[in-house]
Amino acid sequence: MSYAIRRLLRAAMCVFSWFVMPYSQCVSGRIERRKLPPIEDPLLLLSATVLAERIRKREIRSEDVVRAYIQRCQQVNPLLNAIVEDRFEAALEEAQEVDRQLAKGTLGPAEELARTKPLLGLPVSIKESLAVEGMSNTAGRKLREKKVALSDAPVVHQIKRAGGIVLLVSNTPELCLCWETYNQCTGLTRNPYNLQRTAGGSSGGEAALIAAAGSLLGVTTDIAGSSRLPAMFTGVFGHKPSPYVVSPYGHHPSCDDENWGSFFTPGAMCRYAEDLPLLLEAMRDPEGTPVTLHKPVPIGALKCYYMENDGPSGLTRPIDADIVQAIRDVAAHLNAQRVNLKRLRWTLDISVCKMLRMKNVETIYSPQANGKPDTTMKREVFKYLLGMSKSDLPSVMIGPMQHIVNNYIPQSRLDFLDAQTEKLRKDFIDLLGTDGVFIYPGFPNTAHRHYRIFHKLVDTTYMMVFNTVGLPAASCMVGFDREKLPIGVQIVAAPGQDHLIFAVAKELERRFGGWVAPV
């Protein structure tokens, strides 16, 4: 896009906001501004790393940990609306069995369990779009019959194999197609720091629960920032791994495009930075991309770089002053060098065109068992305009957007953008190497009121670009803004260098305080 077209699109977003803002204000204003109950059980304030070690050594019981998280869920979920379906009774039975086996000594010594079952006895929540056998797997879609997973997704299998106890499945937007979390099945998920604000999406259910201490560890997904934005809005850590470190299969919606796993990956979310490598190690695909997650990293030896915006591109909104200051504080602490990667101005073009060209992504327009779709684009758009559609706006519009990109953008233009993608990927790899990280905004503002994402869609390219070029990235909590909402920044590394991100996340947690309980 030329600079003029970019400014025109920016102006269109501004006009769109004239309609979105009043609606958002009305919806948010109806939500009572209540405070979450205080955290009373000290078990909820311990990291997964600490809890796992104490369970293995029989210093605490898995049952007590699982019960504490169940009780916390029951306290906070009526306010957050983050749980789609729980398995509390089954989880307690599994925890009791872990305690019995540990008491008998049949599982082996604690040192061996730390390697073979690093999550033994720990409660884990799973984003509902990932298949958990016997649990809801609709991804927020209103169906004639509830979709129940017949088997575990590979990443869920890995979690169970590592000793994790699945506690519940959490809310997503319909088909995970929005950066806010609401649907016509479960409803709207709210931010624990301010119920009138969004928890982000599409992993908003996970983020809200983890930030409220209703979950210890969360398995999310990320195709365009779906793990990082919710983490940013709720003050926790959300990591998008390098492609194929974790199996991308067993997800609803599905896709059989050969490049699916380059864009999409399950991700890790937690409150404490030290738990990121623990969780990702458990999630890893044994046959996937090899990474060394626990390799020691001297922070002083890292090469750190940063940018405060995307150029600017002339398309995204200005970054809030509090976020800019946070980035500068992080850069100063890490002695980071300011850089200007000029190809980042192509972020929207390359990301949207790449993702919308993936073949056979499951949408409301996909063929069903009879080989025919349930609806057509013209019919569904018309029904939506009349307020009669069973689907939400992103699900309705994904079809027309795919049609435009695949039929009306010249092939020469697509080839040019593909070339820019590869050049930008090379720019990052050359810059970061095996000992560098990149500090970057994740979004121009902290958590906004519900539904305001719709006039800010182009701003998601701050996150989407790293899916497009296949780099690992994480959102790290670094403080609060003047409205007492969490501020997160992105830390990015070259492919396979996830351990560098984890080291920086731990250092930023030490310096800036990390997660703070909502009050």
Side-chain angles (χ1 to χ4, degrees):
M1 284 183 284
S2 68
Y3 187 78
I5 294 178
R6 290 167 183 271
R7 300 302 293 180
L8 184 62
L9 182 55
R10 172 90 176 272
M13 291 291 103
C14 181
V15 172
F16 191 29
S17 73
W18 300 346
F19 302 91
V20 174
M21 295 283 278
Y23 178 75
S24 168
Q25 193 75 24
C26 180
V27 171
S28 299
R30 294 197 200 111
I31 300 172
E32 185 180 356
R33 285 201 62 175
R34 295 174 59 187
K35 301 291 186 182
L36 264 61
I39 300 170
E40 296 177 346
D41 194 323
L43 289 176
L44 300 175
L45 298 175
L46 296 177
S47 71
T49 303
V50 170
L51 286 171
E53 182 177 11
R54 292 188 181 181
I55 289 172
R56 289 192 296 267
K57 293 181 177 179
R58 298 181 57 204
E59 295 173 357
I60 58 174
R61 297 190 306 169
S62 171
E63 180 185 356
D64 293 335
V65 176
V66 171
R67 193 177 298 278
Y69 274 95
I70 290 173
Q71 291 173 348
R72 182 62 177 171
C73 283
Q74 292 169 337
Q75 279 186 323
V76 301
N77 193 59
L79 296 174
L80 301 177
N81 190 39
I83 299 174
V84 176
E85 187 176 9
D86 69 68
R87 57 186 306 276
F88 291 160
E89 291 185 10
L92 278 173
E93 291 175 2
E94 290 170 14
Q96 291 163 358
E97 180 61 23
V98 167
D99 292 331
R100 282 193 291 268
Q101 292 194 33
L102 285 170
K104 293 178 181 178
T106 57
L107 295 177
E111 296 78 9
E112 179 67 12
L113 287 175
R115 185 182 66 82
T116 60
K117 291 187 177 296
L119 303 186
L120 183 65
L122 297 181
V124 182
S125 52
I126 310 289
K127 186 175 180 179
E128 193 260 0
S129 56
L130 285 163
V132 178
E133 184 178 359
M135 301 290 286
S136 174
N137 187 219
T138 65
R141 189 176 179 189
K142 200 169 186 178
L143 301 170
R144 295 187 186 93
E145 295 183 7
K146 177 181 173 183
K147 177 178 167 61
V148 175
L150 300 179
S151 60
D152 290 330
V155 64
V156 175
H157 172 74
Q158 289 300 115
I159 289 291
K160 292 180 177 180
R161 185 179 180 184
I165 297 173
V166 176
L167 199 61
L168 56 90
V169 290
S170 61
N171 203 24
T172 77
E174 185 179 25
L175 295 178
C176 300
L177 288 173
C178 188
W179 290 272
E180 292 193 24
T181 298
Y182 70 95
N183 58 62
Q184 296 187 38
C185 299
T186 310
L188 178 71
T189 295
R190 296 176 279 274
N191 191 310
Y193 290 91
N194 183 334
L195 301 181
Q196 295 180 334
R197 305 286 177 133
T198 180
S202 61
S203 305
E206 283 300 312
L209 280 175
I210 291 170
S215 175
L216 175 63
L217 300 170
V219 180
T220 63
T221 63
D222 195 309
I223 191 173
S226 293
S227 180
R228 288 160 286 157
L229 186 66
M232 188 177 309
F233 280 178
T234 60
V236 297
F237 295 90
H239 179 63
K240 181 197 88 68
S242 296
Y244 294 106
V245 169
V246 182
S247 170
Y249 305 111
H251 184 263
H252 175 63
S254 62
C255 176
D256 59 13
D257 190 288
E258 61 182 6
N259 294 314
W260 175 243
S262 299
F263 291 94
F264 170 85
T265 179
M269 190 178 288
C270 53
R271 275 173 283 146
Y272 301 103
E274 70 174 344
D275 293 340
L276 284 172
L278 174 76
L279 180 53
L280 189 56
E281 185 72 53
M283 293 167 59
R284 281 179 59 181
D285 182 354
E287 299 179 0
T289 302
V291 284
T292 307
L293 300 178
H294 298 282
K295 182 179 179 180
V297 178
I299 291 294
L302 279 178
K303 297 175 183 177
C304 302
Y305 308 91
Y306 78 103
M307 286 178 65
E308 295 176 3
N309 53 43
D310 59 354
S313 65
L315 185 61
T316 55
R317 293 173 306 113
I319 305 295
D320 283 359
D322 289 339
I323 297 176
V324 171
Q325 186 58 54
I327 290 172
R328 291 174 179 173
D329 291 344
V330 169
H333 179 68
L334 296 176
N335 195 28
Q337 174 187 343
R338 187 168 184 166
V339 294
N340 182 16
L341 297 174
K342 295 182 179 180
R343 287 193 180 88
L344 281 172
R345 68 191 179 97
W346 296 108
T347 293
L348 179 66
D349 310 61
I350 65 176
S351 297
V352 170
C353 287
K354 272 279 190 181
M355 291 186 185
L356 291 179
R357 281 187 291 156
M358 282 193 291
K359 300 175 182 177
N360 300 325
V361 178
E362 187 177 1
T363 71
I364 62 173
Y365 306 111
S366 298
Q368 302 302 302
N370 61 5
K372 298 180 180 179
D374 281 342
T375 187
T376 63
M377 286 186 284
K378 290 181 180 179
R379 182 194 309 163
E380 204 61 32
V381 170
F382 184 66
K383 286 171 62 178
Y384 185 85
L385 293 174
L386 293 179
M388 299 172 60
S389 176
K390 293 188 299 182
S391 293
D392 296 318
L393 181 60
S395 291
V396 173
M397 293 308 299
I398 187 70
M401 291 171 64
Q402 289 174 322
H403 182 74
I404 290 170
V405 169
N406 286 290
N407 293 279
Y408 293 101
I409 297 181
Q411 186 61 47
S412 59
R413 180 65 178 176
L414 296 175
D415 291 342
F416 170 79
L417 294 176
D418 287 344
Q420 293 303 314
T421 301
E422 291 307 311
K423 289 177 181 178
L424 180 59
R425 175 180 167 85
K426 186 176 185 301
D427 288 344
F428 272 114
I429 292 174
D430 290 346
L431 177 70
L432 300 177
T434 59
D435 59 354
V437 296
F438 180 60
I439 304 156
Y440 197 53
F443 201 72
N445 57 259
T446 53
H448 46 249
R449 288 179 179 268
H450 299 289
Y451 301 110
R452 292 193 179 178
I453 192 64
F454 290 108
H455 66 278
K456 301 176 180 181
L457 290 175
V458 297
D459 297 326
T460 60
T461 54
Y462 276 103
M463 301 169 294
M464 197 186 305
V465 63
F466 300 113
N467 298 84
T468 306
V469 297
L471 270 60
S475 174
C476 299
M477 165 68 166
V478 292
F480 290 88
D481 70 2
R482 64 197 71 187
E483 296 186 68
K484 298 182 180 180
L485 294 166
I487 296 175
V489 300
Q490 283 193 103
I491 306 298
V492 184
Q497 306 303 317
D498 300 57
H499 64 289
L500 302 183
I501 296 174
F502 296 162
V504 172
K506 195 170 182 178
E507 174 62 17
L508 295 183
E509 180 182 53
R510 184 196 67 79
R511 170 62 181 81
F512 296 99
W515 171 79
V516 177
V519 293

